Every structure is written in C-alpha cells, then in structure tokens.
Amino acid sequence: MTLGVIIGNRDFFPDSLVEKARTEIIEVFEKLNLKPVLLDTTETKLGGVETYQEAMKCANLFKAHREEISGILVLLPNFGDEKGVADTLKLAGLNVPVLIQAYPDELSKMNVVNRRDSWCGKISVCNNLYQYGIKYSLTSQHVSLPSSEVFQRDLKDFVAVCRVTNGLKSVRIGAIGARPGAFNTVRYSEKILQRNGVTVTTFDLSEILGRANKLSGDDAKVKQHIESINAYASKGKTPNEAMLQIAKLDVVLKEVMEEYALDATAIQCWTSLQQNYGCNVCTSMSIMSENMLPSACEVDVTGTLSMYAMQLASGSPSALVDWNNNYADDPEKCVLFHCGNWAKSFLPDIEISNAPILGTTVGVENTYGALDGRTPAMPLTYGRISTDDPKGVIKAYIGEGELTDDPLSTFGNRAVAQINDLEGLMKYICRNGFEHHVVMNASKTAGILEEALSNYMGWEVYKH
C-alpha cells in the first residue's frame, strides 16, 4: 500500500529533528512493506512542510500519485505548522484517511536545541483539520516514536482502515435473483447504498440458471470446475449428477463476476435453486468467499457488504451466519449456524453434503451442494451493516469475542461463540431492527471497523 507522508515543521524548532524523522519513517515503511510518497529534501527545507508554497508543492506531489495513495500520514517531529498540514490536505483533495503522529520529548533534552513540543503541536494540527472539515485518525498514544512497537501497530491498523474505507467507496455487489418472499429481514435500500459508493447490480436468477443449463459435462470449463471443487472439499456422498450441476452453476457465476467486475455477490437460494435447478449453491459461495470474493445467501446484499468490510479489515475471509440458538443455559454463549456456505478457512473438516432442513420441503436429493463442517476455536469479530430506510442512514454494530471448542452435535456449518454481555447485545439487535444474519471473521478488528465505518464513512456504529 502507498501512503502520502507530510512532515510538519516550524522554523523556530530544530531542523535536525525533521531530517531525522524523514529517515526514520522511510525505514519504518520499508520494514512494514509500505511505499511512501513524500517530498524530496531538495524540494523544500529537509522535505518538510511549513509555508503555503511548500504545502502547494506537497499537494501537487500527492495529486500526481492520486491513483496510488490510499491514505496520508502526518509526522510531527516538532510542533509543526498547523496551517501547512491543513493546506496540503485541502489542496491535494484526495479524500482519503489521515493519521496524525507526534514525537515525544525526552526529559533530558528539553533545551532549545532538542525541544520538540509535538504534544502541543498535534492538538493544533487536529484543531485546524477539524475547522477545515478534514477527517483524521489518532494514534493510540498521544505521542510515540515511529520506531516503537505501539506506533507500528497503529500504522498497520491505519492501513487496514484505509483498505476498508477506500474499498467500501467503490465496491460492486451482484444481487443474483429476487429476495426470497419469506425473508423481509434482508430488505435494503439500493439508493442509500449508492449514495455511499456501494453499487448493486441485479440479475434475474432465470438468466443464470438458463446459462448453466446450456452447459454440458463435456465442456472443458465444466470439467475444470469439477476438478477444482473436488480439490476444494471432499464430495462425501454427493452424487456425480449433483456435482455436475454444482460445477455448471459455478462456471456461470465466475463468468458473471468477471463480466460485471463484481467484488461480491448475494444469491437467491431458498428455495428457487433447489426447485428449479436441483442443487444448493453453497459450495460455490464458499469457494468465492475463500478467494476473497464474499458471497451471501438469501440475496442479503448488506450481509455481503458486511462480509466485504470485515475481509478488508482483516485480510481474511468472512462468513454469513445466523444468530441461531442458545447454548444450554450459558448467558454468554450461543450457536452460530447456516445451511453450509462458510469459507473453507472456518471448516477444517469441510465436506460437501445436503441441507436436511430445506430438504424436508424440496427433497433432500435437491439440496446437495450444502457444506458440512464445524468451526474450531479461533478469534472472533462479528458485526452487521444495514440500511435503515425510515431514517435514511446506514447503521452497523460490531464487536469481538471468541469461537470455542465447546461440544455441539448437529449438522450444517456450525460454531459456538462466546461474547461478553451477549444478552445485552441481543437486546440491542432486537430493539434496533437488525437482521438475524450476522457476519463473523477470525480476527480482532472491531476497532479498525469502527474507525472506518463511523469516522470516514459517516455511518451510525455501535461497538459492543
């Protein structure tokens, strides 16, 4: 990832501090595999920004790299010039996340030659950015050295915030099929999403099934997909005829995603696919999610958006789940469940199977393609993004917990989650009209999501 770097300076503080900061941050970026875009020492005094002329030079540099820069880091090795920083960001107009860092002073170096006053300067810079209407992020400690572990952790988190923010502003989601009639819970507003940069492209399910039915088992691409599916998961007792149906559908979904440049999908399943095509699409959805192209069932578009946001935050796949069952009488544990479309990362014992619950109405023989598997203990970030149409806003809740190895004897994709004050969370979900679907990710990224969704996207966020 590429970040723009502004090194603030103020002329009555030691210039040597600016020079050293420039060298230090380049070393940190190399260590973290980040690319800096910053002024050369020949363009301004030591590559710092203080005057309006220097701000224009830095802004022009950033504009020349507009397509590369995902965020901007402001370094304050001394008090810095508050207007210089603010003017640079205003003139560049990149509209990307901004992180403000400030150096600590050393008690043994409080003389004129070494004094920084960055503690105070950071407050002034933030005050100016607030006045200019520029959104910004703060380090976990008010002052910290770039070489410190705490700052480098902050910088990594900031990079993730940039991924989430920039990714959500241009994401393209395919809504494949109509929302199942019995699932009012997954209603959403395309218009509210579009106003926030989220594009939804709709497809009639009959078009997808029609294209799939025109394929045969002799087609090379169908054979290739059967091989890929067999390499991905054990077929278990799934008949060859069902594997062929799954592969043909998988071919078409891949083609559609490429044709329309889709980042994610939400697919109609219950119960049209089973009745009109004869299999579940869960295996294909799992493969897509594992390959960082998240896919949610029941045309849950905002569920898919939640999966995508968590994936951007963590760099790992997400899964759409139901808040499904209590776990005995433990008030802080519950069962997460779905027919079977979770990414392979959550299912070490993954096997292609059928969907017994759905099979009671459409015939079990028409539900092959669902996955069976138990998720073991791992970290948990959970959450949900929704459009609140009466309010005209996008809202979300997020939190962290643990997935556990507690015994659980059932079928499908399943996990046990442990969450502090789970009863309070359920009350919040119910009182605020959230869906029964939630998204899980094997990470601890709730803070990153809160910063990206609330501060930069401007959405209403509750962090449990």
Side-chain angles (χ1 to χ4, degrees):
M1 182 175 285
T2 299
L3 299 180
V5 179
I6 301 172
I7 304 178
N9 190 19
R10 185 161 281 194
D11 59 4
F12 45 79
F13 286 89
D15 288 338
S16 60
L17 300 177
V18 175
E19 187 175 21
K20 186 177 180 183
R22 190 178 188 281
T23 301
E24 285 177 340
I25 201 60
I26 289 173
E27 290 175 354
V28 169
F29 271 50
E30 287 178 353
K31 177 183 176 181
L32 300 181
N33 196 28
L34 299 172
K35 179 183 175 182
V37 173
L38 71 173
L39 288 168
D40 192 82
T41 54
T42 60
E43 295 178 277
T44 65
K45 186 168 65 172
L46 302 174
V49 175
E50 181 175 6
T51 67
Y52 188 74
Q53 295 297 322
E54 291 171 343
M56 285 196 295
K57 287 183 180 181
C58 191
N60 288 333
L61 175 65
F62 288 172
K63 285 191 282 189
H65 294 269
R66 178 182 296 276
E67 298 302 317
E68 301 171 52
I69 293 176
S70 298
I72 295 174
L73 170 65
V74 176
L75 283 182
L76 297 175
N78 60 35
F79 191 97
D81 190 276
E82 58 205 57
K83 290 179 63 179
V85 172
D87 285 338
T88 300
L89 293 170
K90 179 182 177 183
L91 291 167
L94 299 189
N95 192 29
V96 295
V98 178
L99 178 65
I100 314 296
Q101 178 272 355
Y103 273 74
D105 271 303
E106 298 178 54
L107 284 178
S108 61
K109 296 181 180 180
M110 296 289 282
N111 54 12
V112 175
V113 178
N114 296 292
R115 186 177 170 126
R116 297 179 183 273
D117 287 9
S118 305
W119 180 287
C120 188
K122 180 174 180 176
I123 299 170
S124 295
V125 167
C126 293
N127 175 276
N128 273 256
L129 298 189
Y130 185 87
Q131 291 183 45
Y132 281 54
I134 296 170
K135 296 176 181 178
Y136 52 90
S137 297
L138 303 172
T139 51
S140 54
Q141 295 180 357
H142 187 65
V143 292
S144 56
L145 290 169
S147 58
S148 69
E149 182 179 335
V150 66
F151 171 77
Q152 292 181 27
R153 185 171 62 248
D154 288 340
L155 186 56
K156 290 178 183 177
D157 286 350
F158 176 69
V159 165
V161 169
C162 293
R163 281 200 308 265
V164 176
T165 304
N166 298 325
L168 293 180
K169 288 178 179 178
S170 60
V171 62
R172 292 174 54 81
I173 298 174
I176 299 176
R179 171 184 56 78
F183 282 83
N184 276 2
T185 186
V186 295
R187 286 174 170 175
Y188 67 98
S189 169
E190 282 191 49
K191 294 180 179 179
I192 295 175
L193 290 178
Q194 190 67 74
R195 182 59 64 92
N196 286 267
V198 180
T199 298
V200 179
T201 302
T202 60
F203 302 86
D204 192 307
L205 185 61
S206 65
E207 298 174 15
I208 306 298
L209 300 186
R211 286 174 60 169
N213 281 324
K214 290 178 182 178
L215 298 172
S216 74
D218 295 328
D219 291 330
K221 52 190 174 183
V222 174
K223 292 179 179 178
Q224 181 183 352
H225 277 250
I226 289 177
E227 291 177 3
S228 297
I229 292 168
N230 281 323
Y232 181 78
S234 167
K235 64 178 286 188
K237 298 179 180 179
T238 305
N240 291 334
E241 296 80 7
M243 292 294 289
L244 176 61
Q245 290 294 90
I246 295 166
K248 292 195 295 183
L249 187 57
D250 198 55
V251 169
V252 175
L253 290 172
K254 185 174 187 294
E255 290 175 346
V256 166
M257 291 200 73
E258 291 174 352
E259 288 170 20
Y260 291 88
L262 301 177
D263 301 297
T265 52
I267 303 176
Q268 180 182 354
C269 175
W270 196 294
T271 55
S272 181
L273 262 168
Q274 294 77 14
Q275 292 175 327
N276 297 302
Y277 188 69
C279 73
N280 268 36
V281 71
C282 302
T283 299
S284 295
M285 297 168 74
S286 173
I287 293 171
M288 288 189 284
S289 295
E290 182 72 15
N291 290 321
M292 310 300 269
L293 298 167
S295 187
C297 47
E298 294 149 14
V299 201
D300 187 354
V301 168
T302 50
T304 302
L305 182 64
S306 308
M307 293 174 71
Y308 190 66
M310 288 196 184
Q311 170 186 298
L312 291 169
S314 67
S316 64
S318 303
L320 187 81
V321 311
D322 284 353
W323 290 116
N324 213 73
N325 313 88
N326 58 291
Y327 189 80
D329 58 355
D330 193 323
E332 297 201 333
K333 290 181 182 176
C334 68
V335 175
L336 306 178
F337 174 84
H338 233 243
C339 298
N341 64 346
W342 297 357
K344 187 177 181 177
S345 295
F346 296 97
L347 306 172
D349 57 343
I350 188 171
E351 181 178 277
I352 301 173
S353 184
N354 52 47
I357 295 176
L358 186 56
T360 60
T361 57
V362 300
V364 171
E365 69 277 5
N366 294 314
T367 68
Y368 282 102
L371 296 172
D372 187 80
R374 165 67 197 266
T375 302
M378 57 179 65
L380 171 65
T381 294
Y382 61 84
R384 173 79 203 192
I385 299 170
S386 297
T387 58
D388 191 322
D389 300 17
K391 293 181 179 179
V393 301
I394 297 180
K395 63 184 182 183
Y397 69 86
I398 49 176
E400 295 176 351
E402 302 292 336
L403 296 175
T404 74
D405 285 328
D406 289 297
L408 179 63
S409 179
T410 187
F411 51 85
N413 288 173
R414 54 208 185 269
V416 177
Q418 182 169 358
I419 297 167
N420 290 336
D421 188 23
L422 179 59
E423 290 288 344
L425 175 62
M426 292 300 108
K427 286 184 173 63
Y428 182 87
I429 289 170
C430 290
R431 289 192 187 280
N432 289 277
F434 280 97
E435 297 81 351
H436 69 286
H437 288 166
V438 64
V439 171
M440 68 176 182
N441 190 279
S443 65
K444 296 286 188 177
T445 51
I448 291 167
L449 290 161
E450 181 184 31
E451 180 72 4
L453 303 185
S454 178
N455 188 17
Y456 291 106
M457 299 303 294
W459 300 347
E460 295 182 3
V461 178
Y462 166 68
K463 185 169 179 285
H464 182 66

